[in-house]
Amino acid sequence: MKKIISIAITATLAMGLFTGCSEEQLNTPLIDGKYRVEFKNYDSNGWKDYVEVTVAEGEISEVIYDAVKENSNDLKSEDESYKAEMESMMVGTYPAKYNKDLINQFIESGKVSAVDIVAGATESTGNFKTLMLSAMENAANGETDTEIVENITK
């Protein structure tokens, strides 16, 4: 049990190192604009996750979380074969569904830290949180250039 708790604490601290800022630092007003953050590399399945956050009148008006396929503009949320594969594994979710779940959790709470892991999409939940923290930092600083961040390593 102590080992599990130790691993959980280590993982939480590591997430803070990956993002470069804490959520407490993001309590500043948001600057209107569109903020995109994406991973530097495609994952082992050929997908690159990204978030786009739109801020209007100091408030988040839209959040998009998805992934693009390498060598195309195909979106993971629209990939029917990927959805069928996830459904065949009986994980209970698929990209279009868990993307919406993650975004809704964030919108309802206003905090990345309040977003719970979506069963069947643990890695995507971590990706979403990492990307969102960077997007929120950019929105607080008015940095509208696309930010490229290092992928989370397992």
Side-chain angles (χ1 to χ4, degrees):
M1 184 65 156
K2 288 182 183 179
K3 187 174 182 179
I4 292 172
I5 293 171
S6 175
I7 290 170
I9 291 170
T10 302
T12 302
L13 291 174
M15 287 297 288
L17 291 174
F18 282 125
T19 62
C21 75
S22 69
E23 208 162 16
E24 289 75 32
Q25 294 170 311
L26 299 176
N27 290 330
T28 60
L30 301 178
I31 298 170
D32 290 0
K34 191 170 196 170
Y35 303 92
R36 181 182 173 101
V37 180
E38 63 185 50
F39 283 129
K40 180 179 180 181
N41 300 305
Y42 292 90
D43 66 18
S44 59
N45 295 313
W47 296 103
K48 182 189 291 192
D49 287 25
Y50 70 89
V51 296
E52 288 182 0
V53 175
T54 303
V55 176
E57 298 181 14
E59 300 287 329
I60 295 172
S61 61
E62 181 179 31
V63 176
I64 297 170
Y65 172 55
D66 215 325
V68 293
K69 187 69 171 172
E70 192 170 15
N71 300 320
S72 75
N73 288 325
D74 296 343
L75 296 175
K76 187 187 268 188
S77 64
E78 297 174 355
D79 188 318
E80 290 299 320
S81 63
Y82 196 90
K83 177 183 177 186
E85 182 180 333
M86 287 190 78
E87 288 177 327
S88 73
M89 293 186 294
M90 298 174 60
V91 294
T93 195
Y94 49 89
K97 182 178 179 189
Y98 67 69
N99 289 358
K100 185 176 179 180
D101 290 346
L102 293 167
I103 292 167
N104 286 340
Q105 285 186 61
F106 173 76
I107 296 296
E108 287 174 12
S109 68
K111 294 184 178 185
V112 175
S113 60
V115 176
D116 292 327
I117 293 172
V118 174
T122 304
E123 185 175 328
S124 293
T125 301
N127 290 347
F128 174 77
K129 287 181 164 193
T130 297
L131 295 168
M132 277 301 298
L133 280 173
S134 290
M136 295 304 296
E137 181 178 9
N138 291 347
N141 296 321
E143 297 173 16
T144 57
D145 291 340
T146 298
E147 181 178 4
I148 309 298
V149 297
E150 291 293 327
N151 294 55
I152 299 173
T153 56
K154 295 180 194 177

